[in-house]
Amino acid sequence: MFRVAALLGIVSLCSACSSSPADPNRKAVQPAVSAALAAGIQKEANAYRKSMGKSGLSRHAGLDQLAQRHSEDMLARNKRDHNGFGYRSDESAARYGMGSVAENVLDWHGKSAPSASAMMRVWIDSSGHRKNLLGEWNATGIGVARDGKGGTWATQIFAAKTGPGPRGSVPAGNPTAW
């Protein structure tokens, strides 16, 4: 129990942060750490999916780019949100033939980068995020941005290459991760 409480204590709990304009001086740093976290998120997501009887997800370069841009945008604005999800969903369909799309986002603030397993645990512990993780997807895009001050923003896009589907879904009402 303490471990969960401690974990939630370092993940941003702000669900109604005021919007601030992007700070051009606030840029992503530590790309190697970000790339390693993205790879770790995929590994953790696939392990969890397989433990629940689901197939693994393949990384998709185009979805990675969409996710990375969103993570960097959240970093620049210092705000976790699904701003522009409609655009990412539309781009996923128009450019990459995805019929259904969902996303999970998270921000984390601490002295060092979080582990991929800790980030995944936050999503697994949220019913809406868990639903996205376990959806009928076959592709994923992951973007991670670090600010050099202990802030980490992550976006994982889930998509299905074939078949019609809803425009997409985002978890509602969870204050620990959107």
Side-chain angles (χ1 to χ4, degrees), residues 85 89 100-104 132 137 156-159 167-171:
F85 176 70
S89 181
S100 184
V101 177
E103 75 178 11
N104 288 348
N132 284 347
W137 317 115
Q156 183 168 18
I157 297 173
F158 304 93
R167 179 179 171 115
S169 66
V170 295

Side-chain angles (χ1 to χ4, degrees), residues 101-168:
V101 177
E103 75 178 11
N104 288 348
V105 301
L106 178 137
D107 69 321
W108 190 291
H109 302 277
K111 292 182 182 178
S112 61
S115 68
S117 62
M119 294 172 79
M120 189 58 55
R121 177 54 43 200
V122 172
W123 283 334
I124 291 169
D125 288 345
S126 158
S127 62
H129 296 94
R130 186 173 52 253
K131 180 180 175 186
N132 284 347
L133 279 164
L134 295 174
E136 296 302 319
W137 317 115
N138 53 26
T140 190
I142 303 167
V144 177
R146 300 253 319 135
D147 68 3
K149 299 176 186 176
T152 301
W153 285 261
T155 304
Q156 183 168 18
I157 297 173
F158 304 93
K161 183 79 172 160
T162 59
R167 179 179 171 115

Side-chain angles (χ1 to χ4, degrees), residues 55-103:
S55 61
L57 303 173
S58 298
R59 290 284 292 274
H60 186 282
L63 297 177
D64 277 351
Q65 290 175 352
L66 291 172
Q68 186 64 37
R69 280 195 300 247
H70 184 58
S71 293
E72 290 176 8
D73 179 62
M74 290 189 297
L75 178 150
R77 293 180 298 111
N78 194 28
K79 184 174 186 209
R80 177 195 63 236
D81 59 25
H82 290 286
N83 222 20
F85 176 70
Y87 166 79
R88 288 185 295 285
S89 181
D90 292 347
E91 284 292 296
S92 297
R95 287 182 171 215
Y96 311 121
M98 302 298 172
S100 184
V101 177
E103 75 178 11

